[in-house]
Amino acid sequence: FALTAIVATAQMTVQIEKGKTLYESKKYQEAEKAFKAVPEKTNDYAAAQYYLGRIAFDKKEYDDAGDYFEMATEVNPREADYFHRLGNTYSAIAKSANVFTQALMATKVKNAWEKAVELDAKNADARISLIEFYTQVPGFMGGSMSKAKALATELMKLNIAEGHWQMGSILAHEKNTSEAEKEFSKMLKANPEYIRNLAGYYADQKQYDKAFELL
C-alpha cells in the first residue's frame, strides 16, 4: 500500500510539471487537461487549482480564476503566492463591478494580500500590491497611508530602490512633492535603472521636459 501511494504521488508530481510546461508555452487547453487530471485529496491538488486559476486569469475569466485560487488557498493555506494571486483576481473583478460590490471586494483584496505578506515576509510583489491598495483605496474601505509607508520602509530591506520608489510614490500621492523627490533621488542612487520609473512619473505629472531629459 505504501509503495502504491508513493508511485501515485510521483505520477501526480509529473502531471503537475507537465501542466506547468504546457502553461508556460501558453498551451492553455492542454495545460487545463493536465491540471484537471490531478485528483482531489492528493498533495498536488492545491498546485493544480493554483495553475488552473492562473490560466483562467490570463484568459480574463476572473470569476473562474477566483474559484480556483480560493480552492488552492483552502487546500494549502500556507502558500503566500496563492493568496497574492487571489487578491489580484479579486482586484480585477472589482474594477468592472458596481460601487457596492467594489466595497465588498475591497475587504477580500486586502485580506488576501495581507495574508500573503504574513506568510512570506520576503514576498516583495505582495508588499507592493498591498502598498498600492493602502494608497489608492479610501480609508473607510481599508486604505491607510501610514500602513503603506510602513510597508515601503520594510520593502527597503528587500529591495532598496523599490522601497524608495514606493515611498516616493506614496508621498507624491499625498502631494508632498519635495519629500517624494528625495525618495526618488535615493532610489536612483540605489539602482540607476529605476530612471525609467521616474521618467514615467514625470510624464504622468505632465512634466514632459523632465521626463524627456531622463529618457
Side-chain angles (χ1 to χ4, degrees):
F1 176 77
L3 181 59
T4 301
I6 292 172
V7 171
T9 299
Q11 288 175 335
M12 288 303 99
T13 301
V14 169
Q15 189 75 2
I16 289 291
E17 291 303 317
K18 175 185 176 182
K20 286 168 64 176
T21 299
L22 291 167
Y23 169 74
E24 289 164 2
S25 300
K26 299 188 184 302
K27 297 179 180 179
Y28 293 147
Q29 189 171 359
E30 295 172 56
E32 281 181 339
K33 289 181 181 179
F35 291 126
K36 286 181 178 179
V38 176
E40 238 179 303
K41 298 182 180 179
T42 61
N43 293 336
D44 294 303
Y45 185 68
Q49 296 300 296
Y50 166 74
Y51 276 101
L52 284 169
R54 290 188 63 172
I55 291 169
F57 189 92
D58 288 353
K59 293 164 67 176
K60 302 188 187 312
E61 297 171 355
Y62 299 126
D63 288 334
D64 289 341
D67 291 340
Y68 285 126
F69 287 133
E70 284 173 359
M71 179 59 70
T73 59
E74 287 175 17
V75 176
N76 182 1
R78 299 178 301 280
E79 184 60 53
D81 198 46
Y82 292 1
F83 284 95
H84 184 210
R85 299 277 181 175
L86 178 59
N88 291 351
T89 304
Y90 287 149
S91 179
I93 292 171
K95 287 178 181 177
S96 59
N98 58 47
V99 176
F100 179 74
T101 302
Q102 286 180 341
L104 293 176
M105 295 305 295
T107 300
K108 290 187 173 185
V109 171
K110 181 174 73 70
N111 290 343
W113 283 341
E114 285 181 340
K115 186 65 175 179
V117 172
E118 176 190 328
L119 288 170
D120 183 3
K122 294 183 179 180
N123 190 323
D125 289 339
R127 286 182 179 275
I128 291 168
S129 294
L130 195 51
I131 287 169
E132 292 175 354
F133 175 88
Y134 286 144
T135 304
Q136 302 294 330
V137 173
F140 72 91
M141 292 174 64
S144 171
M145 302 306 287
S146 61
K147 288 183 178 180
K149 290 175 182 176
L151 280 171
T153 300
E154 293 170 5
L155 184 59
M156 292 175 196
K157 300 173 184 176
L158 302 175
N159 184 327
I160 297 174
E162 184 64 35
H164 284 298
W165 164 244
Q166 293 297 330
M167 184 66 81
S169 298
I170 295 166
L171 292 166
H173 186 77
E174 293 182 313
K175 309 300 182 185
N176 192 343
T177 306
S178 60
E179 291 302 314
E181 292 283 357
K182 291 178 184 178
E183 293 297 324
F184 294 146
S185 178
K186 294 175 183 177
M187 170 191 77
L188 292 179
K189 286 181 181 178
N191 187 345
E193 290 185 5
Y194 272 74
I195 197 168
R196 299 182 189 128
N197 295 48
L198 188 54
Y201 163 76
Y202 284 135
D204 289 340
Q205 299 300 310
K206 301 189 186 304
Q207 299 182 46
Y208 299 121
D209 290 345
K210 287 186 177 181
F212 184 76
E213 183 180 353
L214 288 173
L215 290 172

